[in-house]
Amino acid sequence: MIEINQLTFGYTKRNILYDALDLQLKEGNIYGLLGENGAGKSTLLMLIAGLKKPLSGSINVGGHEADHGSAEFLREVFFIPEEMTFPNITVSDYISVLSPFYPKFNHQHFIEMITEFGLSEDQKMNNMSYGQKKKVIISIGLASNTRLLLMDEPTNGLDIPSKSQFRKLVAKYMSDDRVFLISTHQVRDLESLIDPIVIVDNGKVVFNETLETISEKLLFTTAEKVEASDVIYVENGVAEDKVVAMNHSGEPSRINLELLFNAVLTEKTKMNQALPTQQIKY
């Protein structure tokens, strides 16, 4: 569905953010895009959405080059930014203007979603709180039924019940012919939702793996339950030390995405031993 080949991008030619980045995203998956602050997660989403132009390389989305901005490309991509500005009109009026650009937009599904979020079509968008605006744009994105849905920090501004509703709605409106790519630093909000996990660092994709493979190869537990020689990464705690370890027995464990992220960024050699097909690069 999405093929990024040798992507190079920088805001200046002397300040390169991505250097020959390669990434493939397949339909039917909700990808989690992780990276440190400043790693370029938002920029990568904008590049895929065609909002920025690479210095070199290509981004192909469903057979269309992202930076060409063709009508065929634009009707199959929806981008939910972290920050939003809306006009002084009602939700209903906004939808009447926006929905014609998305031929597969489902108005009934949209109404169901904003109702789930406790909103109505009669509300003025510029009078809404940040969280309410986020709920509207999430609902529009899901109801657009585009093949590609890009979300930048979608749970920012949502309270705890709304985050639960968000996870439920994303799972409900995901389908085998769609790709969702969610950039987030709030991994605990999305641990039960995103799969596979993509991690970017120093201008490269350094990790791209499914939860099934991660669970099969790695063990997330406490230090006293594993041999010291199997420990890949350890995080010291007040009560106990949490670790990522090699999983020799195939014993299942609950994946801790924060631990995984830190292990990928700090323990390249050990992670490559545990996941030899991954070849984490820096």
Side-chain angles (χ1 to χ4, degrees), residues 2-279:
I2 301 173
E3 292 190 8
I4 302 177
N5 295 309
Q6 296 293 293
L7 172 69
T8 298
F9 176 83
Y11 288 97
T12 68
K13 291 185 178 180
R14 293 184 177 181
N15 184 19
I16 298 300
L17 182 59
Y18 285 112
D19 182 18
L21 180 144
D22 293 318
L23 178 63
Q24 290 187 346
L25 306 177
K26 299 179 181 179
E27 295 173 335
N29 291 307
I30 303 173
Y31 288 87
L33 179 62
L34 312 181
E36 294 184 313
N37 289 337
K41 300 186 299 296
S42 298
T43 299
L44 182 57
L45 293 185
M46 287 188 281
L47 284 161
I48 296 172
L51 299 175
K52 294 187 180 297
K53 185 178 179 65
L55 296 176
S56 63
S58 64
I59 304 173
N60 188 287
V61 179
H64 304 287
E65 294 298 320
D67 60 336
H68 290 180
S70 67
E72 293 80 10
F73 165 78
L74 293 173
R75 67 169 59 108
E76 289 295 351
V77 178
F78 196 95
F79 177 46
I80 298 175
E82 183 177 6
E83 299 295 333
M84 304 152 295
T85 301
F86 292 122
N88 183 24
I89 58 177
T90 64
V91 173
S92 177
D93 289 339
Y94 187 73
I95 291 300
S96 67
V97 173
L98 186 66
S99 59
F101 292 98
Y102 299 97
K104 293 181 287 186
F105 187 87
N106 190 309
H107 190 266
Q108 180 180 345
H109 289 169
F110 172 74
I111 295 300
E112 290 174 358
M113 281 183 271
I114 63 170
T115 301
E116 175 80 15
F117 279 132
L119 302 173
S120 74
E121 282 192 298
D122 298 329
Q123 290 179 261
K124 282 285 191 71
M125 300 192 69
N126 67 323
N127 292 334
M128 289 181 168
S129 67
Y130 175 72
Q132 289 175 321
K133 292 176 181 177
K134 186 64 71 77
K135 294 172 184 179
V136 171
I137 198 69
I138 287 169
S139 300
I140 295 172
L142 291 171
S144 70
N145 285 302
T146 54
R147 293 178 64 189
L148 174 59
L149 179 57
L150 305 167
M151 307 185 220
D152 192 6
E153 301 291 353
T155 58
N156 279 3
L158 300 185
D159 56 24
I160 292 176
S162 297
K163 290 176 181 179
S164 177
Q165 292 168 327
F166 167 78
R167 290 189 294 268
K168 181 176 70 173
L169 291 172
V170 168
K172 179 178 180 179
Y173 291 102
M174 180 58 182
S175 61
D176 291 341
D177 62 346
R178 303 184 78 179
V179 177
F180 292 172
L181 178 58
I182 304 177
S183 167
T184 185
H185 69 275
Q186 300 186 35
V187 292
R188 292 181 180 178
D189 292 344
L190 303 174
E191 277 188 334
S192 62
L193 186 66
I194 52 178
D195 181 21
I197 307 300
V198 177
I199 299 176
V200 292
D201 187 57
N202 290 329
K204 301 284 187 182
V205 172
V206 298
F207 190 85
N208 183 5
E209 197 55 83
T210 65
L211 294 184
E212 180 180 4
T213 298
I214 295 168
S215 180
E216 177 185 339
K217 299 295 184 180
L218 302 177
L219 192 64
F220 297 81
T221 184
T222 54
E224 68 271 11
K225 294 183 179 180
V226 295
E227 296 291 335
S229 59
D230 290 335
V231 173
I232 297 172
Y233 172 81
V234 58
E235 188 173 283
N236 300 123
V238 176
E240 57 187 8
D241 295 339
K242 297 179 181 180
V243 302
V244 180
M246 293 186 181
N247 191 357
H248 298 299
S249 65
E251 176 187 352
S253 61
R254 182 177 179 179
I255 296 173
N256 184 318
L257 290 183
E258 289 186 0
L259 284 181
L260 174 69
F261 178 77
N262 291 331
V264 168
L265 294 191
T266 61
E267 298 293 346
K268 172 187 173 184
T269 300
K270 292 181 179 180
M271 286 294 288
N272 278 334
Q273 291 173 350
L275 293 161
T277 60
Q278 183 63 43
Q279 288 300 301

